[in-house]
Amino acid sequence: MGLRVRIVLVALLLLALAALAVPLALSLSDRRTGDLAAERDRQLAALADAAVRPDTPLQREIDRYYDVYGEGLLVIDSDGQTLASRGLDMSDTGVAAAAAHALVGAPASQWDSILPWDRQRRLATTGVRSGGELVGAVVLAVDTSVAARDVATGWLWLAAACGAFLVLAVVAERSLTRWVLRPLDGLERAVAEMTEGVTGPPANVAGPPELRHFTAAFNSMAQVVRASLDRQRRLIADASHQLRNPLTAVRLRADTLESYVAEEGQPTYSSMTAELDRFENLLEQLLRLARAEQVSGSRQVGISTAATESADLADVIEERAAYWQPILADHQQHLVNGSTHPGPTVLLARHEVEQLLDVALENAVRYAGGAATVTVSTQQGDETVDLIVSDDGTGLPEEDLARAATRFWQARNDGVGTGLGLAIAAEITMGHGGTIAVEKAPEGGLLVRYSLPSAGESS
């Protein structure tokens, strides 16, 4: 926007300067031309008077004029015979026509304006009169080079003045547009921060009065929105914390009642304890999500410090594979460790990489189906490392892949999950400058890809 405003202003300035400078330049040229024409008319009149005085040495006057001005001169009588000349004669181009024009008493032609590039001579004429009768003519070849140089000098000064004014105007309009648009830049940053769901400083209230009022209103609105978002996050975290204690008490009481429940009440008791398990898992996931959001938001506003911990993916995969292998075997599934030693190193704490891997493997156990093969592998890039968990199971429909990492989304056949696992993994990944993708695996099942910041060479 600022560039477009400056371009428009500069274009208007150029048009204004052209509207002022062009007429002024032509006026300078006309004035110099008029001065030269008036001066040469006076000199022609003096030479014409000298031509009718019998006691005046006409040739000497002409020689003196030529020596001073370097301009050719010709004096003829009414029959066209040369009386005196220097540097000009009747055979020169245009001289005969100019002389004939003067001998018939025709008025002198108006001179065209002298321009800086003009170097041609101008023929000026006047009649020689004796007792009111035309008895001859004087023809003068006027040299316009000096006048042309004067016009060029005037135009150069005019161009320099216009250039200086244009520079000053551009500096002034740049300062003006920056002053006007600076609040908009602050508003743009504030809107971007609000869009990312993070808290940043309020937009600077500056600029014209209209923008100051608008910026102040935006800051008030942003403060209300941020306070609302902060209350929502605190509500989730506080509610999760506050519910854990009564839930633990309910769990203890339920466990003590198990031996007192009659046989016909066992199905109801088992259903209740299963719901308690699900409730405990949901609270734990909500707490993890709140912590992951805090890390992700801090990074987006530049609060978080650079990562100082790193983890070897091969070691983490080997350890978690040993943990998950029996679980997958219980579901008639097989786990394949596709990583090699030494493995790539990423700029994440080890427990965070373990959590990312656990989320992806838990999804594979839940959705891949029986007899599926789950593969964990890595792929080294220039600045990132991909941690990939894929399977050859049933996978997800195409329309569900884009929603798999959203909060509280669950597959149609899932009755035990919370819908927060991949959402937590996404927050952890983005909190460290990485990305997450849920795709269709080449084997036909589901593929979860974490692109994580690389720590450099493999360890």
Side-chain angles (χ1 to χ4, degrees), residues 66-343:
Y66 185 85
D67 293 337
V68 173
Y69 295 101
E71 297 175 347
L73 192 62
L74 173 67
V75 180
I76 60 174
D77 59 15
S78 59
D79 296 328
Q81 300 298 318
T82 301
L83 299 178
S85 70
R86 178 74 182 275
L88 191 68
D89 57 49
M90 293 292 289
S91 62
D92 292 338
T93 304
V95 173
H101 186 81
L103 288 175
V104 297
S109 301
Q110 187 71 26
W111 284 26
D112 293 332
S113 296
I114 298 174
L115 300 177
W117 48 86
D118 283 344
R119 292 295 182 269
Q120 293 182 348
R121 65 182 183 176
R122 304 283 180 92
L123 293 178
T125 61
T126 188
V128 178
R129 294 180 179 272
S130 177
E133 181 181 356
L134 279 171
V135 296
V138 181
V139 182
L140 176 64
V142 181
D143 182 11
T144 60
S145 60
V146 175
R149 284 197 299 272
D150 293 341
V151 173
T153 302
W155 282 23
L156 286 176
W157 280 108
L158 180 61
C162 290
F165 177 79
L166 182 62
V167 170
L168 292 176
V170 168
V171 172
E173 65 88 14
R174 180 178 176 84
S175 301
L176 178 63
T177 53
R178 290 181 64 181
W179 175 68
V180 172
L181 298 178
R182 188 181 297 114
L184 296 181
D185 295 335
L187 287 173
E188 182 181 1
R189 288 192 298 270
V191 169
E193 290 166 357
M194 288 184 63
T195 303
E196 295 170 354
V198 296
T199 302
N204 184 31
V205 180
E210 295 82 1
L211 280 180
R212 289 202 298 269
H213 296 323
F214 176 72
T215 305
F218 175 85
N219 286 336
S220 300
M221 179 202 70
Q223 186 177 7
V224 172
V225 172
R226 286 165 176 161
S228 176
L229 291 173
D230 188 53
R231 284 195 296 269
Q232 291 178 18
R233 290 175 180 171
R234 286 203 308 267
L235 176 63
I236 294 174
D238 293 344
S240 301
H241 277 291
Q242 294 299 324
L243 287 173
R244 291 182 74 177
N245 291 333
L247 183 61
T248 302
V250 172
R251 164 67 71 181
L252 290 174
R253 287 173 173 79
D255 290 342
T256 59
L257 287 175
E258 183 177 6
S259 58
Y260 298 98
V261 177
E263 184 177 351
E264 59 271 16
Q266 285 295 330
T268 302
Y269 178 80
S270 299
S271 177
M272 181 189 70
T273 55
E275 288 300 321
L276 286 175
D277 292 339
R278 186 170 180 273
F279 197 9
E280 289 177 336
N281 185 33
L282 177 60
L283 288 179
E284 183 63 30
Q285 296 286 64
L286 285 173
L287 284 172
R288 290 180 178 178
L289 179 61
R291 287 193 294 266
E293 278 187 331
Q294 184 178 11
V295 174
S296 177
S298 298
R299 175 182 176 84
Q300 290 173 356
V301 292
I303 298 175
S304 62
T305 57
T308 56
E309 297 184 78
S310 61
D312 187 293
L313 289 185
D315 290 342
V316 177
I317 292 173
E318 185 176 4
E319 177 187 331
R320 301 315 295 166
Y323 171 82
W324 282 95
Q325 187 68 58
I327 300 176
L328 270 72
D330 290 343
H331 291 78
Q332 290 79 45
Q333 296 173 335
H334 180 57
L335 178 61
V336 176
N337 183 356
S339 64
T340 58
H341 284 277

Side-chain angles (χ1 to χ4, degrees), residues 391-446:
D391 61 73
D392 59 357
T394 56
L396 289 174
E398 290 289 340
E399 61 271 15
D400 290 341
L401 290 176
R403 298 181 295 167
T406 57
R407 299 176 187 181
F408 298 107
W409 181 86
Q410 294 176 275
R412 299 182 182 89
N413 59 349
D414 186 11
V416 295
T418 62
L420 292 175
L422 285 176
I424 295 171
E427 291 292 341
I428 294 174
T429 305
M430 290 187 296
H432 292 277
T435 60
I436 181 175
V438 181
E439 310 165 1
K440 186 176 181 61
E443 307 96 306
L446 192 68

